[in-house]
Amino acid sequence: MTTATMFRHDALLYAGIDEFVERTAGFVRAGLVDGEAVGVAVIEPRAGALRKELGADADRVAWIDMERVGRNPARIIPVWQDWAESNGARVFRGIGEPIWAGRSPQEIVECRHHEALLNLAFDDVAWQLLCPYDVSALDAEVIDGVRHSHPRVLAGAAERGGIRLAAGDFAATLTGPALPAVPGHADRLAFRSGELAGVRSLVRRAMGNAARAQVNHAILAVSEIAGNSIVHGGGHGTVTVWIEDASFVCEIHDAGHIVDPLAGRHRPTPDQDGGRGLWMANQICDLVQIRSTAAMGTTVRLRLSR
């Protein structure tokens, strides 16, 4: 693979850890031979197996803990952006594996959005990102969707074209697919300016006997999004909370309309006035899902482990 002159976003289909190591080690070494900076963001045991294969060369690689960073897929792009900026004018390449066996269906949906949004976030940055997918462990539906966010798909000795996304494809990350229905036992509260204390009380009750730090994190994340509803969503909204699979889930809906597909992924600057709500929620929560249209308004669903 040659040095990129534009953002080169490839998917690598592999079967099992041995093929993963063989294919990714070649990619890493090709970059190191050319004097490029190389970053690797995969989970264990693949990270350890690749380190072992690289030997002393592993010390020349920036290792990113994808299981920690990628727990919420919306946190991955800012980490890659920070790493890219840290290399200055140096040529660089990376390996990023956002989807692995064990991801929940909703996490996979947001990982697909992440893969699509990479093409928007790095449209004007010349580097190579290789995204491995384990065909022996992932559902066929996940593998079939790879070509919808990667212009090129590599499988064994074969190479096939994917789809180079257009502007409308990025907007689709804010419009679908629809979120699963809110359960009938969920608690709902309407709020407007001056009523966030009620929202915080609702969250506190829903969190039950969770640790104080977790309760405070949930209150902070929900308060930030509810505050956005007041400022940007028509001055009012509704908050709905429930417990699902030992996680606290909160959905905030208002009449606003988000038009930036990368909303919540822009790292705030120190002198920035506002615009931190979605960013903070992404840093706190295990998953943040945004659905927004001009006709239906905006729904933000937060998930946080209890």
Side-chain angles (χ1 to χ4, degrees):
M1 301 182 73
T2 57
T3 298
T5 57
M6 58 184 295
F7 181 46
R8 186 165 177 170
H9 187 200
D10 295 341
L12 169 66
L13 306 185
Y14 72 93
I17 196 164
D18 290 341
E19 185 178 0
F20 168 85
V21 169
E22 178 186 356
R23 300 298 298 277
T24 56
F27 178 82
V28 169
R29 287 187 172 122
L32 295 177
V33 166
D34 289 341
E36 299 180 14
V38 180
V40 175
V42 300
I43 70 168
E44 297 293 354
R46 288 179 283 284
L50 181 55
R51 280 192 182 97
K52 183 177 179 180
E53 172 64 24
L54 293 172
D57 284 338
D59 295 335
R60 302 166 59 194
V61 174
W63 297 92
I64 299 167
D65 183 352
M66 180 60 93
E67 193 160 12
R68 178 183 62 81
V69 169
R71 181 173 179 84
N72 176 356
R75 292 201 289 257
I76 303 173
I77 284 177
V79 169
W80 279 125
Q81 288 174 325
D82 289 347
W83 180 74
E85 291 173 5
S86 72
N87 289 303
R90 189 180 179 189
V91 177
F92 55 94
R93 65 174 63 191
I95 299 172
E97 187 172 28
I99 298 182
W100 54 83
R103 283 284 209 184
S104 72
Q106 293 307 305
E107 288 172 345
I108 289 175
V109 167
E110 298 310 312
C111 284
R112 286 173 171 170
H113 288 170
H114 156 74
E115 288 278 47
L117 291 172
L118 278 163
N119 300 288
L120 175 63
F122 293 104
D123 180 58
D124 58 350
V125 182
W127 69 298
Q128 299 181 71
L129 180 61
L130 186 67
C131 301
Y133 284 79
D134 188 353
V135 299
S136 67
L138 297 171
D139 291 344
E141 182 184 1
V142 174
I143 302 303
D144 290 343
V146 166
R147 63 182 297 271
H148 294 285
S149 53
H150 297 82
R152 193 170 71 141
V153 180
L154 310 175
E159 173 185 327
R160 63 178 184 265
I163 296 174
R164 190 168 293 281
L165 278 70
D169 297 308
F170 301 124
T173 61
L174 291 172
T175 58
L179 299 175
V182 173
H185 64 268
D187 292 325
R188 181 177 284 104
L189 176 69
F191 65 89
R192 59 182 62 250
S193 180
E195 297 178 351
L196 289 185
V199 173
R200 291 191 287 269
S201 294
L202 181 67
V203 173
R204 190 175 291 108
R205 290 196 300 272
M207 289 293 287
N209 61 355
R212 178 178 296 181
Q214 292 175 306
V215 175
N216 291 339
H217 286 164
I219 290 173
L220 176 58
V222 175
S223 297
E224 288 291 332
I225 304 304
N228 281 353
S229 296
I230 292 170
V231 176
H232 305 291
H236 58 88
T238 58
V239 57
T240 309
V241 299
W242 67 97
I243 301 302
E244 181 179 302
D245 298 330
S247 290
F248 166 77
V249 186
C250 177
E251 180 174 290
I252 302 99
H253 179 77
D254 59 50
H257 182 207
I258 296 173
V259 297
D260 179 8
L262 290 169
R265 290 170 165 86
H266 301 290
R267 184 179 295 279
T269 59
D271 58 349
Q272 181 175 318
D273 184 16
R276 290 179 170 82
L278 282 170
W279 169 268
M280 291 182 65
N282 273 324
Q283 304 313 302
I284 292 170
C285 297
D286 299 318
L287 193 67
V288 176
Q289 296 180 275
I290 305 170
R291 301 294 183 267
S292 186
T293 68
M296 301 298 293
T298 293
T299 297
V300 179
R301 185 172 290 189
L302 312 175
R303 183 178 293 271
L304 185 65
S305 172
R306 294 172 70 238

